[in-house]
Amino acid sequence: MNSPSQVIVRPARSLRGSVRLPGDKSISHRYAMLSGIAEGPSRLENYSTGADCASTLGCMRSLGVTWERKDNVIEVEGRGLSLKSPTSPLDCGNSGSTMRMLSGIVAAQKFASQMIGDESLSRRPMQRVIAPLTAMGAQIASQDGKPPLRIAGGVLKAIDYKMPVASAQVKSCLLFAGLFAEGETRIEEPLRTRDHGEVALRAFGAQLDSKSAGQGSAVRIRGGQRLRGIEASIPGDLSSAAFFLCAAALFPDSQLTVPNLLMNPTRARLLDILMQMGLRISVTQLEEIHGEMVGSLQVEGGKLKGATIAGGDSAALIDEIPVLAAIAPYTEQGIEVRDAKELRVKESDRIAAMAKNLRLMGAQVEERDDGLKIPGAQTLRGAELDSFGDHRIAMAFAVAALRAQGETLIRGSESAAISYPAFFSTLEGLTER
Ligand code: S3P
């Protein structure tokens, strides 16, 4: 992680220009893991520039996978399903995705691994992967369900598992483990979450079956399938684009173009919500690359109405809620977020962090156990804020600062590099004053 830093964000008049995003973080993690256990080489263009995806690549190297970075391309030499015993702990840094998804792969290896993380990751719940992997036959020691994890790899058997928490990381972990297991693994999720694990497995040549089940989905994968390497260009990260889309939404005069953006329907709920709220968005050049939808967005500002985010929407928008909350006071009717308790166990307690920073800017906020209610038509003032070491909080409040009165100072702004190192300079380049 970069050394601690702070930024000052000044109020703006509008957002204008074109922004091309680095590759999607969720897809980058999965491609890095799957290309390592595939046979033959893979070429991953526009790989995420975030520190989290570098943590995944670092772990893969420790597990004997060779790869090389050439500009924004990662060339990976797949090892097939057998990895090499690491000589030191697998350092997942700040990345819950790395620890949770990779645990499904290392649990099936012929060696023991230790997985560690930074202070924030060390506080995050891992029982959600430990319980099902243990049911598959893995032996995992933890600190009361939290990292570090000590995983004694071995033979896994398929399970039929109903996930108690809607989590795409857990779903991918179990699908990856299912690839190594004897028999057919069946996973059911209570609410629909992003399906990049399913889409990526298919891109690498695996066969799996998925169908809707209630408000969620049920996925089946047969063990013993071999993967083959791919050449792919990773679509721009929609959750990073969210900061610019919401910033554009703050000003009627905004005009923004976002080429090559991920449009996977399990991720694109933000676009519907922003359109319902009054942002004008049109999509062109829609195409499918390795099963992922990609398109170009043209965005124009307008009046901003309020919204309620609850139920399945809260799961679908889990990474975008911080920035939606940050623009909520400037909307006409405000934003209410319910059923989003998961936000309390992200890189920070995001509900508490959002409430604290909004109040420091003078906003009225009702903090609830599972969400927030933020009235609209408020005037905010610039303030001294903290990122709480959380990339999405740092970026969300840079957006809130654009329509505040006076300057805002954000401490711990270096945390943006977890998903998007160039965020602040890119935002500055798009801002009209
Ligand atoms: C992710 C899933 C979400 C999300 C995270 C990335 C993924 O986490 O918050 O940023 O790539 O699968 P959960 O699965 O824990 O909800």
Side-chain angles (χ1 to χ4, degrees):
M1 178 61 106
N2 301 336
S3 46
S5 62
Q6 56 189 42
V7 292
I8 291 180
V9 183
R10 288 177 295 130
R13 255 189 315 121
S14 69
L15 226 79
R16 284 180 168 250
S18 175
V19 58
R20 205 179 171 87
L21 279 309
D24 183 70
K25 179 155 106 57
S26 293
I27 298 178
S28 296
H29 281 302
R30 288 164 172 88
Y31 280 8
M33 290 178 201
L34 295 182
S35 58
I37 57 167
E39 286 162 23
S42 288
R43 189 174 184 281
L44 311 176
E45 206 182 308
N46 201 33
Y47 187 82
S48 164
T49 50
D52 268 8
C53 294
S55 292
T56 291
L57 283 172
C59 290
M60 295 313 284
R61 178 161 282 157
S62 303
L63 289 161
V65 175
T66 36
W67 56 264
E68 219 184 311
R69 188 189 288 268
K70 292 180 184 158
D71 297 324
N72 74 342
V73 177
I74 309 287
E75 290 179 355
V76 185
E77 212 38 69
R79 285 184 64 99
L81 294 177
S82 296
L83 297 172
K84 194 180 117 230
S85 175
T87 52
S88 53
L90 300 171
D91 188 355
C92 303
N94 189 245
S95 175
S97 297
T98 307
M99 190 173 285
R100 294 194 181 124
M101 295 196 277
L102 195 56
S103 65
I105 294 176
V106 298
Q109 300 296 321
K110 292 198 183 87
F111 50 79
S113 314
Q114 200 187 353
M115 303 185 98
I116 59 171
D118 69 4
E119 201 200 325
S120 147
L121 182 53
S122 302
R123 286 194 301 262
R124 297 185 63 190
M126 293 297 146
Q127 196 55 36
R128 54 189 64 193
V129 290
I130 297 174
L133 288 174
T134 305
M136 292 176 89
Q139 285 175 40
I140 305 180
S142 68
Q143 306 294 308
D144 246 348
K146 306 218 164 106
L149 303 183
R150 228 197 126 64
I151 306 186
V155 176
L156 300 182
K157 56 180 186 303
I159 46 164
D160 201 331
Y161 190 65
K162 271 198 171 166
M163 290 168 35
V165 189
S167 160
Q169 294 173 351
V170 176
K171 182 174 55 168
S172 288
C173 161
L174 299 179
L175 287 173
F176 294 173
L179 194 63
F180 294 85
E182 286 167 6
E184 187 178 75
T185 296
R186 189 174 173 282
I187 304 151
E188 204 173 310
E189 58 180 356
L191 294 171
R192 192 139 179 76
T193 66
R194 62 193 75 191
D195 64 357
H196 302 301
E198 296 91 304
V199 173
L201 277 162
R202 285 194 187 103
F204 281 85
Q207 281 181 10
L208 61 162
D209 211 68
S210 51
K211 58 173 199 259
S212 356
Q215 286 178 276
S217 75
V219 194
R220 288 183 299 155
I221 186 163
R222 200 170 22 79
Q225 301 187 59
R226 283 150 67 162
L227 306 181
R228 54 176 153 64
I230 61 169
E231 285 202 5
S233 171
I234 302 174
D237 193 317
L238 183 55
S239 300
S240 296
F243 299 101
F244 302 122
L245 299 177
C246 287
L250 292 177
F251 310 101
D253 282 347
S254 296
Q255 271 190 348
L256 194 65
T257 306
V258 192
N260 191 48
L261 191 64
L262 176 70
M263 291 279 149
N264 177 315
T266 62
R267 288 285 295 286
R269 190 76 186 111
L270 176 75
L271 305 182
D272 305 326
I273 294 276
L274 287 176
M275 285 195 285
Q276 281 165 25
M277 287 170 69
L279 195 65
R280 281 170 292 167
I281 302 181
S282 57
V283 182
T284 55
Q285 291 167 306
L286 253 194
E287 58 174 328
E288 198 182 306
I289 306 180
H290 287 300
E292 292 287 2
M293 295 305 294
V294 189
S296 263
L297 284 195
Q298 282 77 39
V299 177
E300 283 179 41
K303 271 199 167 170
L304 254 201
K305 291 186 271 214
T308 299
I309 300 164
D313 277 351
S314 297
L317 288 163
I318 198 74
D319 291 340
E320 289 74 58
I321 291 173
V323 68
L324 285 167
I327 63 167
Y330 305 116
T331 63
E332 286 176 357
Q333 294 88 5
I335 292 183
E336 181 176 354
V337 178
R338 298 198 300 259
D339 309 317
K341 213 170 171 177
E342 272 294 297
L343 288 172
R344 294 217 180 258
V345 290
K346 292 289 179 189
E347 287 82 330
S348 69
D349 174 343
R350 286 185 175 157
I351 296 180
M354 291 183 285
K356 173 103 203 262
N357 280 348
L358 282 167
R359 285 187 187 126
L360 283 169
M361 296 181 85
Q364 236 189 66
V365 184
E366 191 187 316
E367 179 180 344
R368 297 169 178 167
D369 194 34
D370 69 340
L372 302 144
K373 185 167 178 172
I374 306 159
Q378 304 195 56
T379 305
L380 268 53
R381 54 172 189 270
E384 291 192 11
L385 309 177
D386 198 85
S387 72
F388 297 89
D390 185 329
H391 54 131
R392 298 202 199 277
I393 296 297
M395 295 187 277
F397 282 90
V399 173
L402 295 175
R403 238 184 84 173
Q405 291 177 345
E407 290 180 352
T408 295
L409 177 115
I410 302 174
R411 294 208 171 83
S413 54
E414 75 287 350
S415 59
I418 285 298
S419 56
Y420 192 4
F423 171 74
F424 287 103
S425 55
T426 308
L427 181 66
E428 196 53 30
L430 294 166
T431 301
E432 304 254 311
R433 295 207 160 81

